[in-house]
Amino acid sequence: VPSASRPKKGLDIRESQQLGIYIDGVKKRAVNSYPSIEAVMEEGTENRTVGSTLMNATSSRAHTVITIEFKQVSTLAGGASGEKVSMINLVDLAGSEKAGQTGASGDRLKEGCAINKSLSALGNVIEKLADKATGKNKNIVIPYRDSKLTRLLQNALGGSSKTIMICAISPASSNYEETLSTLRYADRAKRIKNSATINENPQDKLIRQLREENLQLRNMIGVDPGSPGGGGGETDAAALEALSEKQKEIAALESMLQEMQRSFTD
């Protein structure tokens, strides 16, 4: 969203069962190649807020978040379709500032205060997640709602995800405190333990797992997966019975799925 079109209070973050956590008012762009992804990222970079301070002529005055959504659609038996969704959040955090070093005043000073506040909220969330991962407090409440940044990145920080942080630090002695703070920040993030799982429809996942078990049973008793009756030597009665039960479960689940997907007009 161009800066001139944004409301003064900023865009609202909302949550729904269909979309999850999202920003109300932003536009999604369909892309089908790496060049098209780069073009959209360039457009987003042009819309970011920058300003001049004593330390940086093009200082970022806000955090930048670019979300790439990958969707894999597959066709299941019976004509039903299944989806797997993955989200990549590319986050460029604006650096913390000291007003005395940047010489900021007026709007630039307010922006710096807002940046420091959101970074503090993010650091607090990372610390709580790290404490939870190390077992210090299993029942701790993670304060995602303390800032828009942490709310937007809730799934990326503590959900089914993997997180990588790259830190930019300065070798100058005048930035010693900022460098040490950044390294501590990264060390806390490194202690977060998440378990990434495939995001797919639970019914599709169950049918896929049953199909895999069915195939394993066929292989165990020497039945050709392409033939309904067999033809691979002696078969075990118990294994055949288990195979038959699995096939019945798969058929029942597929029938249930087709009923759920049938429109009200049919």
Side-chain angles (χ1 to χ4, degrees), residues 1-138:
V1 179
S3 56
S5 305
R6 297 175 206 156
K8 199 166 187 179
K9 64 174 184 176
L11 299 171
D12 293 325
I13 295 180
R14 306 188 186 280
E15 184 174 6
S16 71
Q17 291 184 345
Q18 291 79 19
L19 301 175
I21 300 170
Y22 68 99
I23 303 175
D24 191 19
V26 299
K27 298 177 181 177
K28 273 188 175 183
R29 299 291 177 83
V31 293
N32 56 9
S33 63
Y34 286 112
S36 57
I37 291 176
E38 291 176 359
V40 175
M41 290 179 65
E42 284 294 330
E43 183 182 351
T45 302
E46 290 175 0
N47 290 330
R48 70 187 304 181
T49 305
V50 296
S52 176
T53 67
L54 293 179
M55 295 185 68
N56 191 345
T58 56
S59 173
S60 298
R61 310 315 298 163
H63 309 302
T64 302
V65 180
I66 295 176
T67 301
I68 305 173
E69 178 181 315
F70 293 92
K71 185 178 291 185
Q72 180 183 5
V73 180
S74 56
T75 303
L76 305 176
S81 62
E83 287 186 358
K84 295 179 183 177
V85 179
S86 178
M87 311 281 281
I88 297 179
N89 292 289
L90 305 176
V91 186
D92 181 10
L93 295 175
S96 60
E97 296 183 350
K98 287 185 177 179
Q101 292 181 345
T102 60
S105 60
D107 289 341
R108 293 290 171 264
L109 182 60
K110 291 179 183 178
E111 290 165 353
C113 291
I115 290 170
N116 291 343
K117 184 179 179 181
S118 64
L119 287 174
S120 177
L122 178 59
N124 191 29
V125 166
I126 289 174
E127 184 177 9
K128 301 294 184 186
L129 286 170
D131 289 343
K132 187 175 182 179
T134 53
K136 288 185 179 181
N137 191 344
K138 292 290 186 182

Side-chain angles (χ1 to χ4, degrees), residues 55 96 98 101 168-185:
M55 295 185 68
S96 60
K98 287 185 177 179
Q101 292 181 345
I169 57 177
S170 170
S173 58
S174 58
N175 296 324
Y176 170 78
E177 291 183 6
E178 287 80 0
T179 297
L180 188 60
S181 174
T182 300
L183 292 175
R184 286 173 177 164
Y185 210 90

